[in-house]
Amino acid sequence: MVPERRSTYGDRLLEGEPMTVFTVSPVVLEIPGRPVDLQLKVSAPMEGNELPIILLSHGQGLSNHLSSLNGYAPLANHWAEQGFVVLQPTHLSSRSLNLPADTPGAPMFWQERAEDMSHLIDRLDEIEKAVPQLQNRLDRTKIAVAGHSMGGHTASLLLGMKTEGISLKEPRIKAGVLLGSTGRGEGLTEVVRGSYSFMLTPDFGDMTTPALVVAGDQDGSEHLTVNGPAWHEDPFHLAPGPKDLLVLEGAEHGFGGVSGYDVAETTDESPERVATVQRLTTAYLRSRLFGTADWQEEALVGVGFRVDSRP
């Protein structure tokens, strides 16, 4: 008789006890028609079954490797410690790939970025085979997407935002976290208007999947918009359906350092702020994927942020 498998998630993780984590990288998926193979890092707890999945989309920036599977350790490590399986692809826009400027979709590959995430869901069987420690441990009904900056744009597409009239909504994704994501198409800089026309036409009307929008009240992103920090709150205000907003006081685009430990790109370095993002995003994802009340309870604890929500 085969012993019944039990998930340790409910027993340990909802009490906040971190778990030992392993990572495997790179897992390589051959995608027909893609200029290069799709590489990803897998981070997961050593124990537990029926584990939820987070697809983590990196941003851009000046560094060569934060915008790849090698970035965002403060988020990926924490979420894995809290019982999530985190899948981090290297999108075609990554500086680490340095694809030729005439590659179709360059330089941002906005559509291909979203398609990467759907490929990961399609190929979960293959990912399990490449990472035997994961076999028969995933809960494929509990998939979330998270993204920072340009990764937030990618996550928004998967949650239902349209750009240039194109919908890439992924119904298998049940919740999202948008960190410093993009907003409305009005008030963008000349650089954006000339080089990134896809940012001019966002339509949030069908972005109905539940999402937590995270913004910094000092994140002006002057290279992108003249709308000020409130621009990053637009997905909360303009998208229908259940949405929550977390605004961090004093936070700039790095949210204290979510893209990497002690990286030069972080202009507002703050381990305490990173810890707040870790704690509240974890609580939010638990609440949406498992129906717990953690988000409501955790949002009442701490200072340096404000929250808003609507059904």
Side-chain angles (χ1 to χ4, degrees):
M1 181 176 179
V2 178
E4 181 181 358
R5 292 190 295 110
R6 290 184 71 243
S7 170
T8 61
Y9 193 95
D11 296 335
R12 294 175 58 187
L13 298 176
L14 292 182
E15 297 177 359
E17 181 181 348
M19 302 187 72
T20 302
V21 169
F22 72 90
T23 64
V24 177
S25 174
V27 174
V28 181
L29 303 177
E30 183 179 348
I31 307 296
R34 200 173 188 270
V36 297
D37 292 338
L38 177 56
Q39 297 191 10
L40 66 142
K41 175 187 281 185
V42 177
S43 303
M46 291 289 293
E47 303 177 48
N49 298 302
E50 300 177 3
L51 300 173
I53 300 165
I54 299 176
L55 311 177
L56 177 53
S57 180
H58 63 72
Q60 293 304 118
L62 298 177
S63 68
N64 290 317
H65 294 286
L66 290 180
S67 61
S68 75
L69 56 79
N70 292 313
Y72 294 88
L75 294 180
N77 292 351
H78 178 81
W79 288 333
E81 288 173 357
Q82 295 299 311
F84 295 87
V85 175
V86 184
L87 306 182
Q88 291 178 257
T90 295
H91 296 302
L92 294 175
S93 58
S94 174
R95 289 172 65 96
S96 67
L97 297 178
N98 196 28
L99 294 178
D102 60 355
T103 305
M108 286 298 157
F109 299 94
W110 64 268
Q111 186 168 345
E112 290 81 0
R113 289 174 62 104
E115 290 169 349
D116 284 346
M117 301 310 214
S118 292
H119 288 314
L120 295 186
I121 302 175
D122 292 340
R123 308 284 280 273
L124 286 174
D125 285 342
E126 194 171 333
I127 293 170
E128 282 194 31
K129 289 179 181 178
V131 186
Q133 301 95 319
L134 277 185
Q135 288 192 2
N136 302 315
R137 298 179 61 206
L138 301 178
D139 187 341
R140 304 185 187 198
T141 70
K142 294 181 174 64
I143 301 176
V145 64
H148 174 239
S149 194
M150 184 61 194
H153 184 275
T154 299
S156 292
L157 288 170
L158 293 162
L159 298 173
M161 180 188 75
K162 296 178 183 177
T163 297
E164 296 186 355
I166 296 173
S167 174
L168 296 168
K169 189 172 186 176
E170 177 50 79
R172 293 172 290 183
I173 292 175
K174 305 306 180 184
V177 173
L178 310 179
L179 296 139
S181 189
T182 56
R184 68 188 69 204
E186 297 86 7
L188 301 183
T189 64
E190 288 301 317
V191 172
V192 172
R193 299 179 67 85
S195 301
Y196 310 120
S197 60
F198 65 89
M199 292 178 63
L200 301 176
T201 57
D203 178 357
F204 294 95
D206 194 37
M207 201 176 104
T208 55
T209 307
L212 172 64
V213 178
V214 184
D217 69 0
Q218 299 301 310
D219 182 10
S221 296
E222 291 86 357
H223 61 296
L224 298 176
T225 180
V226 300
N227 294 328
W231 183 66
H232 296 289
E233 301 178 24
D234 283 351
F236 171 76
H237 296 291
L238 300 180
K243 297 292 180 291
D244 291 88
L245 176 68
L246 168 63
V247 179
L248 293 153
E249 297 173 3
E252 300 176 15
H253 200 58
F255 297 100
V258 297
S259 64
Y261 297 110
D262 302 318
V263 300
E265 290 184 9
T266 301
T267 58
D268 63 334
E269 185 172 12
S270 170
E272 295 79 13
R273 187 171 294 131
V274 173
T276 296
V277 173
Q278 291 170 333
R279 177 174 64 86
L280 294 181
T281 56
T282 299
Y284 175 81
L285 291 171
R286 285 175 177 166
S287 72
R288 284 300 176 184
L289 297 179
F290 290 90
T292 70
D294 281 2
W295 162 246
Q296 308 298 333
E297 296 171 2
E298 290 288 338
L300 297 175
V301 180
V303 296
F305 59 88
R306 63 177 173 84
V307 297
D308 195 2
S309 63
R310 56 181 175 77

